[in-house]
Amino acid sequence: MRWFLTVLGVIFGIVVFLFLDYTLPSKQTVRITNTYNRLTDIGANAFFYASPDTGTVQNAQGQRDVRFIDTVRPNGKPHVYRNEDTGWIWPPYFKYDSSNLHAQATDLRSTAASPEWVSVTSYGWRIAWLSVYPNAISIKPVAGPEVKPFNWAAQIILLILGTLLFLLWRMWNQFRERTIDPAVRSADEAWDRLDARADAARDRARGRMRRWWDGLRGR
């Protein structure tokens, strides 16, 4: 039973980690190279795109007109973002300004010869083989590629979640100490008493059987 609970706890921890890793905001310092719209096939990867509740429209072929932002990291590796509204659904970024963000990103495009570096706040993952892209939330110019703004939002959210988990853990421990542990001890004591009575009854029965048998042999 203990190994099952351990495995269950590990699986739960992995799920929570993946959920937070996808949902929490992250910041990357990049150089914007291009912005464009593209008809994108939405199928098995629909979970990683905006919900139709945000006003997105797909054609009969399951394609959606999605805004994209091409960027390059300071190490020269490309990184592509999508730019979709999130609306009031999960994750709760309440983003409705994808058009304005697209215009801002277009205005901040630069070349390798004359780079302009920006910090892009986004959430989500980049999974190339599934055509999954992180969703850009905001863009702010920075002084250079070495500037990496501190991710206050993610740290504050993690601090709040950690505090809530600690409080829940304390409440569970108090509930267990005041309710579950006494109930378990009471059940153990009741079982011990029942077992003792059963042993006593069995001993008495054996005694009666022995006396009956001795009586038969005495005859």
Side-chain angles (χ1 to χ4, degrees), residues 1 8 11 22 44 47 52 76 79 87 104 118 120 125 142 146 152 155 169 171 180 184-185 188 191 203 212 214:
M1 185 64 177
L8 194 63
I11 293 174
Y22 180 84
F47 173 81
H79 194 64
Q104 182 185 8
V118 299
V120 178
W125 301 324
V142 294
E146 72 285 349
W152 285 104
Q155 300 304 319
W169 177 73
M171 291 171 61
I180 297 178
V184 171
R185 286 194 295 270
D188 288 341
W191 178 260
D203 291 340
W212 175 77
D214 290 343

Side-chain angles (χ1 to χ4, degrees), residues 10 13 21 26 63 87 103 113 134 178-179 208:
V10 170
D21 186 59
S26 62
Q63 295 176 318
R178 296 175 181 177
T179 306
R208 286 193 294 269

Side-chain angles (χ1 to χ4, degrees), residues 32-37 68-70 101-102 105-107 109:
I32 299 175
T33 60
N34 193 21
T35 57
Y36 56 93
N37 289 48
F68 288 95
I69 303 172
D70 288 350
L101 190 66
H102 197 70
T106 302
D107 184 55
R109 289 182 301 181

Side-chain angles (χ1 to χ4, degrees), residues 16-115:
V16 171
F17 171 79
L18 293 176
F19 172 78
L20 293 176
D21 186 59
Y22 180 84
T23 306
L24 290 178
S26 62
K27 291 179 178 290
Q28 302 88 27
T29 298
V30 295
R31 176 174 60 84
I32 299 175
T33 60
N34 193 21
T35 57
Y36 56 93
N37 289 48
R38 186 182 72 210
L39 283 176
T40 304
D41 293 321
I42 306 296
N45 59 359
F47 173 81
F48 300 99
Y49 284 82
S51 168
D53 295 342
T54 61
T56 58
V57 178
Q58 293 180 198
N59 59 24
Q61 290 74 38
Q63 295 176 318
R64 182 184 301 178
D65 190 19
V66 180
R67 298 183 179 93
F68 288 95
I69 303 172
D70 288 350
T71 70
V72 174
R73 292 175 173 174
N75 59 9
K77 293 184 178 180
H79 194 64
V80 182
Y81 300 90
R82 61 186 170 94
N83 178 20
E84 291 188 295
D85 290 337
T86 63
W88 291 87
I89 60 173
W90 191 266
Y93 287 96
F94 312 114
K95 177 187 172 186
Y96 285 98
D97 62 345
S98 57
S99 297
N100 293 343
L101 190 66
H102 197 70
Q104 182 185 8
T106 302
D107 184 55
L108 290 170
R109 289 182 301 181
S110 64
T111 63
S114 181

Side-chain angles (χ1 to χ4, degrees), residues 200-214:
R202 184 168 56 250
D203 291 340
R204 289 193 297 270
R206 286 176 178 173
R208 286 193 294 269
M209 288 295 295
R210 187 178 297 111
R211 289 191 296 272
W212 175 77
W213 177 251
D214 290 343

